[in-house]
Amino acid sequence: KSIGSGYASGKIILMGEHSVVYGEPAIAFPFSGTGIQATIQANDLESWIESSFFHGPLSKAPNTMRNVTVLLWYLVKHFKIPEPFYLKIDSSIPAERGMGSSAAVAVAITRAVFDWMEEAATQEKVLHFVNQAEAVAHGNPSGIDATTISGTEPILYQKGIGFRPFQLNMDAFLVVADTGVKGQTRKAVKDIAKLMEMRPYETNKQMRSLGKLTAQAQQAILKNRPQILGDCMNQAQGLLRLLGTSNSHLDHLIQTALENQALGAKLTGGGRGGCMIALAENETSGRRLQRILLDAGARNTWIEGLGVYAHV
Ligand code: PMV
């Protein structure tokens, strides 16, 4: 095959970020509002990367692209990919905003290489490569990003145990808003690890509370009770704030959403910037929230009907 191509969407963590690193359950789904397309083909002189944040020889890729260069190293070794190659990455996922752009770029590239080498890219095979690259980008990833993005359905995820498909079918809409400020997942995860060392009893208790809220949210979704899900989201945000993962930009958008009929609102992903999510009763109220959040300073907003994943 002369050219290989692969696509991956972003992801949204509905409940359970950070506590998922400590073995608690989390709910996440692939987010079709954003995505990354990767294509790969032979090149003449040297291996080359073309993307919005870097274009140049692979050998000169910046340290911030280490997840990509490490992944390529594994893929080249495994497939004996013909070098030099030309890799093009087109992304509509804002980077470092808790939408899983680093896992998505890895999934898209891995799928493109599998396509180029004409091998079926099963989720298991894709994850094998992506998890290794994510370990470099994240430090201590729970694996939720890579697992969600390499699949097609919402999942309930637990580190070390795995995932199971989760029917996220509810009469409500989720509004996602980007603060426009880069999140700091790696730093936030590290700081919580420090808290865990300094105040193990209290921090463990907070993690378990977050886990319980995820379980309650799961029940609320199964019973189609948006009000209860919204309440779980608010309580989770309170705990995430105590753990130091929120910031003023997130708090401002979350407060604005709650003052404007959101049923619940919280950060999503690593926090300290990045995106927030707000639960809206219906599409009209969700679209209104989108406008209000944009006026309040959000860089971008998206809306997703939570009924779209209904398994019929
Ligand atoms: O910020 P993101 O999109 O990479 O989400 C990270 C989720 C965390 O729970 C904070 C970390 C992890 O590895 O699970």
Side-chain angles (χ1 to χ4, degrees):
K1 212 169 179 179
S2 65
I3 185 163
S5 72
Y7 179 81
S9 67
K11 69 97 223 282
I12 295 292
I13 298 179
L14 185 62
M15 290 288 289
E17 49 278 277
H18 288 294
S19 46
V20 72
V21 176
Y22 295 91
E24 299 295 336
I27 301 169
F29 60 92
F31 184 53
S32 54
T34 59
I36 294 184
Q37 179 75 47
T39 52
I40 187 162
Q41 59 196 318
N43 205 16
D44 288 337
L45 291 172
E46 56 188 332
S47 287
W48 194 270
I49 297 184
E50 195 71 45
S51 76
S52 57
F53 43 92
F54 171 75
H55 57 107
L58 173 62
S59 56
K60 299 229 164 63
N63 204 30
T64 46
M65 286 190 80
R66 231 157 80 80
N67 63 327
V68 170
T69 51
V70 171
L71 173 71
L72 286 168
W73 185 83
Y74 283 120
L75 288 165
V76 165
K77 207 170 98 174
H78 176 83
F79 281 107
K80 309 210 170 22
I81 298 178
E83 288 182 277
F85 54 78
Y86 174 86
L87 172 68
K88 190 167 187 303
I89 302 164
D90 282 310
S91 175
S92 67
I93 307 181
E96 294 172 66
R97 304 293 217 291
M99 279 200 190
S101 67
S102 78
V105 81
V107 171
I109 291 172
T110 307
R111 284 182 176 152
V113 168
F114 271 74
D115 184 46
W116 198 27
M117 297 293 117
E118 297 184 73
E119 190 173 318
T122 62
Q123 184 174 14
E124 199 187 342
K125 284 187 187 163
V126 169
L127 271 178
H128 169 77
F129 290 101
V130 172
N131 277 333
Q132 301 185 67
E134 274 285 279
V136 174
H138 257 292
N140 176 26
S142 66
I144 191 170
D145 284 15
T147 308
T148 310
I149 286 167
S150 60
T152 52
E153 290 175 303
I155 58 168
L156 190 72
Y157 180 85
Q158 215 164 345
K159 187 180 171 180
I161 293 177
F163 70 97
R164 59 186 158 88
F166 178 68
Q167 199 167 329
L168 185 49
N169 184 13
M170 176 176 251
D171 295 325
F173 282 75
L174 199 70
V175 172
V176 182
D178 180 3
T179 58
V181 179
K182 280 191 178 173
Q184 298 172 36
T185 302
R186 212 185 152 107
K187 175 110 188 11
V189 169
K190 241 191 188 162
D191 287 351
I192 291 182
K194 271 189 218 147
L195 274 185
M196 203 47 114
E197 264 177 40
M198 275 161 19
R199 289 184 279 156
Y201 178 77
E202 201 182 326
T203 313
N204 260 311
K205 210 169 131 195
Q206 286 165 334
M207 292 302 167
R208 281 202 304 277
S209 301
L210 280 167
K212 275 194 196 128
L213 286 169
T214 301
Q216 278 171 27
Q218 185 194 354
Q219 288 306 314
I221 293 166
L222 287 174
K223 292 181 185 148
N224 196 14
R225 303 283 295 274
Q227 294 275 0
I228 298 179
L229 174 61
D231 193 43
C232 292
M233 289 166 68
N234 290 338
Q235 289 189 53
Q237 173 61 19
L239 286 163
L240 288 165
R241 193 180 292 130
L242 283 178
L243 287 164
T245 56
S246 200
N247 73 355
S248 60
H249 300 275
L250 284 164
D251 289 345
H252 171 59
L253 293 185
I254 289 166
Q255 193 54 35
T256 305
L258 293 176
E259 282 163 10
N260 287 281
Q261 289 161 19
L263 301 176
K266 63 185 273 292
L267 62 85
T268 180
R272 301 246 176 112
C275 291
M276 56 78 76
I277 49 177
L279 192 67
E281 208 166 0
N282 53 43
E283 190 169 356
T284 312
S285 124
R287 299 229 175 259
R288 184 174 159 264
L289 265 181
Q290 278 184 290
R291 284 192 300 275
I292 290 169
L293 290 170
L294 282 171
D295 283 348
R299 168 82 53 91
N300 205 348
T301 63
W302 298 262
I303 185 164
E304 183 104 335
L306 293 183
V308 293
Y309 291 109
H311 300 193
V312 262

